[in-house]
Amino acid sequence: MMVVGLTGGIGSGKSTIAKEFAALGIAVFNSDEQAKALIANNAQVKKRIMAAFGEEAYQNEEYNRAYIAQIVFNNSEKLAILNGIVHPALAKYFKQWTKKQTSPYVVKEAAILFESGSYKDCNYIITVTGPEEVRIARVMARDHCTEAQVRARMAQQWSDAQRIALSNTVIENIDLESAKEQVKRIHFQLCQSL
Ligand code: ATP
């Protein structure tokens, strides 16, 4: 199965673009959502997180996100331990999921496609971009947060230039209609290449 990685900085519009691929009948895997689901429900993942971070990682069976966040925030060693548990489990689940899909290719949407190393499992990579000021305004409106909070999250991610250097193509998401046209063009190219 051909795997198309879809990534982009915060507020670039990855989820918006992913919906357009889904509308064309393409199976979309949302890595962020699936990682959250594994952390919440996968017995092996839960056991390993508790072994690494203590029983407090779960409260009444529920993942204690705030507790883990304050441990891994600004502590790259602890973050690497958490990622070392979640990323391999997610990669394994993605492989199983892929086998069940019947669309001509699948899209793997991931905010940290490059940072996590999972871009290596993709046959083709799309980066979604947009002007920084537009992206910041979108996230402030969506998440009801401040510009400083958005910039802090941006600072933890790769830059557009780094992402684009390792991508096959770029979708410029400013005007939605033109972004949709770009999705269709890429979709037909991908279908022809199969
Ligand atoms: P994150 O990495 O933060 O999850 P994302 O890259 O998935 O973000 P989206 O959630 O798709 O981005 O888009 C961010 C916000 O901007 C959303 O509220 C979305 O509706 C809006 N948005 C996305 N693309 C456009 C567009 N072309 N025109 C107007 N609004 C847009």
Side-chain angles (χ1 to χ4, degrees):
M1 175 65 85
M2 178 171 190
V3 177
V4 175
L6 179 68
T7 190
I10 178 170
S12 58
K14 290 176 294 297
S15 300
T16 305
I17 298 300
K19 274 191 206 130
E20 295 308 319
F21 279 100
L24 294 169
I26 298 304
V28 175
F29 184 91
N30 183 321
S31 303
D32 301 347
E33 267 174 25
Q34 296 301 337
K36 279 183 192 154
L38 281 180
I39 289 171
N41 306 315
N42 184 283
Q44 189 67 21
V45 170
K46 286 169 84 168
K47 207 170 114 188
R48 294 192 64 198
I49 289 179
M50 277 192 272
F53 297 98
E55 299 281 323
E56 305 96 306
Y58 289 84
Q59 269 178 342
N60 306 322
E61 290 286 300
E62 220 166 278
Y63 182 54
N64 190 347
R65 180 168 298 280
Y67 168 78
I68 297 292
Q70 51 100 9
I71 294 177
V72 303
F73 188 71
N74 282 336
N75 186 332
S76 53
E77 260 174 51
K78 298 279 186 193
L79 181 62
I81 292 172
L82 180 64
N83 288 342
I85 297 169
V86 178
H87 291 168
L90 188 66
K92 193 173 151 196
Y93 176 65
F94 175 68
K95 269 203 182 119
Q96 292 167 351
W97 175 89
T98 302
K99 284 189 190 134
K100 291 188 230 146
Q101 306 312 313
T102 53
S103 55
Y105 59 90
V106 296
V107 166
K108 185 181 198 187
E109 177 194 347
I112 53 166
L113 190 77
F114 291 113
E115 294 89 330
S116 68
S118 76
Y119 73 97
K120 290 176 192 145
D121 301 325
C122 298
N123 306 100
Y124 189 90
I125 298 174
I126 303 169
T127 284
V128 185
T129 64
E132 194 170 282
E133 298 313 313
V134 175
R135 289 167 44 200
I136 290 172
R138 281 178 191 158
V139 177
M140 285 172 69
R142 186 193 60 189
D143 298 349
H144 310 291
C145 59
T146 65
E147 178 176 344
Q149 285 168 327
V150 184
R151 286 196 186 275
R153 282 157 72 185
M154 268 181 174
Q156 293 183 336
Q157 300 183 333
W158 278 29
S159 69
D160 264 358
Q162 286 174 304
R163 277 186 283 263
I164 290 168
L166 290 178
S167 298
N168 296 88
T169 195
V170 176
I171 293 179
E172 187 82 28
N173 175 30
I174 303 168
D175 160 67
L176 193 56
E177 284 313 308
S178 126
K180 282 183 185 177
E181 285 308 312
Q182 295 175 70
V183 169
K184 281 187 197 143
R185 186 175 46 77
I186 293 166
H187 171 71
F188 287 117
Q189 263 177 17
L190 288 171
C191 287
Q192 276 180 340
S193 75
L194 294 171

